[in-house]
């Protein structure tokens, strides 16, 4: 495009010169990236989870630790320490319903949870936030 004498090159003219004619439904627009506040994150475990609680659950046999993490996850979702275990959560953590009853009993014996069993319904589980530790005062000193 040749410039006419006395007429300056306009930015709009230059932009229109290189413009491709597209149907309205195919317009090219760049969307701004989402702001950090609006990003959606994957699911996560709400904390803080007491390390003493986790170590005590890890020392138990079976999938007690798996169940414990699932219980803390549900507690974070409901914002309550009293929860009911759902089948979808169990599937998510790879725990069978029979494993739940066995490991729930182990967690209860260790003093990590209290369980209110109700006939024909899911038990109400309360997470004990500060369990009794195996060493009440301090761990024994090694020689």
């Amino acid at each position: 495009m040749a410039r006419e004498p006395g007429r300056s090159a306009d930015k709009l003219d230059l932009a229109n010169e290189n413009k491709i004619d597209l149907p309205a439904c195919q317009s090219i627009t760049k969307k701004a990236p989402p702001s950090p506040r609006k990003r959606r994150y994957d699911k996560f475990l709400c904390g803080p989870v007491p390390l003493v609680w986790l170590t005590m659950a890890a020392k138990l046999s079976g999938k007690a630790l798996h169940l414990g993490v699932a219980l803390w996850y549900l507690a974070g979702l409901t914002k309550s320490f009293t929860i009911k275990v759902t089948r979808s959560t169990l599937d998510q953590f790879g725990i069978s319903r029979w494993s739940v009853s066995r490991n729930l009993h182990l967690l209860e014996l260790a003093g990590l949870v209290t369980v209110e069993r109700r006939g024909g319904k899911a038990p109400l589980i309360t997470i004990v936030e500060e369990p009794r530790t195996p060493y009440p005062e301090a761990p024994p000193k090694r020689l």
Side-chain angles (χ1 to χ4, degrees):
M1 177 173 150
R3 275 185 20 192
E4 295 177 13
R7 184 171 175 207
S8 63
D10 195 7
K11 289 182 181 180
L12 184 60
D13 289 340
L14 291 175
N16 286 337
E17 181 180 313
N18 297 327
K19 188 174 181 182
I20 301 170
D21 292 329
L22 293 174
C25 64
Q26 294 181 358
S27 63
I28 300 173
T29 57
K30 287 188 176 181
K31 292 183 179 179
S35 68
R37 287 184 178 176
K38 293 184 180 180
R39 281 190 195 146
R40 290 190 171 204
Y41 295 100
D42 289 334
K43 296 176 181 175
F44 58 91
L45 185 66
C46 291
V49 179
L51 187 60
V52 172
W53 201 100
L54 289 175
T55 54
M56 288 176 69
K59 291 177 184 176
L60 299 173
S61 64
K63 291 196 171 190
L65 180 61
H66 294 77
L67 179 60
V69 171
L71 293 176
W72 278 101
Y73 171 71
L74 286 172
L77 282 181
T78 60
K79 297 180 181 172
S80 170
F81 288 114
T82 302
I83 50 176
K84 286 188 268 186
V85 179
T86 61
R87 289 291 300 262
S88 61
T89 305
L90 296 177
D91 292 341
Q92 202 172 12
F93 285 90
I95 307 170
S96 69
R97 62 185 183 133
W98 297 281
S99 180
V100 169
S101 62
R102 281 192 310 268
N103 291 299
L104 200 55
H105 183 68
L106 291 174
L107 290 173
E108 190 176 20
L109 289 177
L112 299 173
V113 296
T114 58
V115 181
E116 180 188 330
R117 290 178 175 80
R118 307 170 304 160
K121 295 182 180 179
L124 280 178
I125 303 162
T126 304
I127 299 174
V128 177
E129 220 178 334
E130 294 182 15
R132 60 180 194 273
T133 60
Y135 310 110
E137 297 163 9
K141 295 181 181 178
R142 293 186 181 188
L143 298 175

